Amino acid sequence: RQPEPTQVLEGRKRKRQEARGSKLGDMLAAMLATLLLPLALGAPAPFPLTGSACDLISVNEKLCTCFDLSDHKFMLDCEIPLRLGVLNFTDSIGMKVLGDPCADPASLTVDVVERNFAIDMPIQSITCGSAILIPIPGLTFAVPDVGTVSIDADVQFDGTIDKLRVQAGINACVKAGGRQMCGGEIAWLQNLLPLWIIDQTINFGTVCSDRATF
C-alpha cells in the first residue's frame, strides 16, 4: 500500500481537531444554558439579594434624588431653596449626604455647597451617636436688636441598624447675650426652619443582612 500524501494526512488531522473543538463548544454551550436557564425562568440568583437603601428612605423628590451605591451605601443629592424674608435672604443651598448604614459604626458624610458665595463645606465622618450644628461660612448676618444670625448645617444621627434615626438639613441660629437659640425656638423662624432633607427612623436590617446589630 502506497503511503498517503502529506496533504491528505494533514486534512484528516484538521478534521479531527475541528470535531474535538465542535464537541467542546457544544459542552460549554450546554453548561452555560444550564446556569442561565433558572435565571431566565425567574428562579433565585445564586447569591443573596439584600435590596435597596433608597427604597427605605423617604425624601422630598422635588428637592432630592437618592442614589444606591456599592456596599449598601446611599447618596442624597439635594438642592434646598431658602427664603428668609426677615433677613432679606433668598438663596439655594446644595447638600449631599453619603450614608454608610452597614458600617460599624454607621456613618454619614455631608457636603454643603452654595454657589453664589463659592462655599463648599465638607463634613466628614459623622458617626452614629453624633449631633452637629455647624455655621455655613459666609452665611452669617448681624441683625440689629437681635444678634448674630447664622445659617447652619444640622445633622443628628443615632440608633441601631434596625432603628437608625437620620436627620439632616438646614437650620438657623441666633447668638445674643451669651445664649444661642435655633430654628423653632426663634419666633420669626417658626414654621420655616429647620428644613430637613431627611427626617426619618429607618430599619436597615433588610439591607445590611450580614449584621443583626451594631
Side-chain angles (χ1 to χ4, degrees), residues 159-180:
T160 60
I161 193 171
D162 57 351
K163 198 175 182 181
L164 200 59
R165 182 67 180 165
V166 186
Q167 286 181 299
I170 300 298
N171 208 341
C173 297
V174 174
K175 291 182 180 179
R179 183 174 175 227
Q180 176 174 281

Side-chain angles (χ1 to χ4, degrees), residues 77-80 82 91-97 110-123 136-137 139 153 170:
D77 189 353
C78 306
E79 196 70 25
I80 307 169
L82 280 183
D91 204 345
S92 181
I93 296 177
M95 178 175 275
K96 292 184 179 180
V97 177
V110 177
D111 191 18
V112 178
V113 177
E114 198 285 337
R115 295 179 180 82
N116 293 331
F117 296 94
I119 297 168
D120 187 354
M121 184 181 78
I123 307 170
I136 301 172
L139 299 185
I170 300 298

Side-chain angles (χ1 to χ4, degrees), residues 29-120:
M31 291 172 63
L32 186 61
T34 301
L35 292 172
L36 294 180
L37 182 58
L39 298 180
L41 295 177
F47 46 84
L49 301 178
T50 55
S52 159
C54 286
D55 286 345
L56 305 175
I57 296 171
S58 298
V59 295
N60 185 335
E61 295 182 357
K62 293 180 180 179
L63 303 181
C64 300
T65 303
C66 185
F67 300 94
D68 282 302
L69 306 178
S70 61
D71 298 325
H72 311 307
K73 297 183 181 71
F74 65 87
M75 169 74 79
L76 300 181
D77 189 353
C78 306
E79 196 70 25
I80 307 169
L82 280 183
R83 297 178 183 87
L84 304 177
V86 69
L87 299 177
N88 194 26
F89 178 76
T90 300
D91 204 345
S92 181
I93 296 177
M95 178 175 275
K96 292 184 179 180
V97 177
L98 172 63
D100 190 358
C102 300
D104 186 7
S107 65
L108 296 177
T109 298
V110 177
D111 191 18
V112 178
V113 177
E114 198 285 337
R115 295 179 180 82
N116 293 331
F117 296 94
I119 297 168
D120 187 354

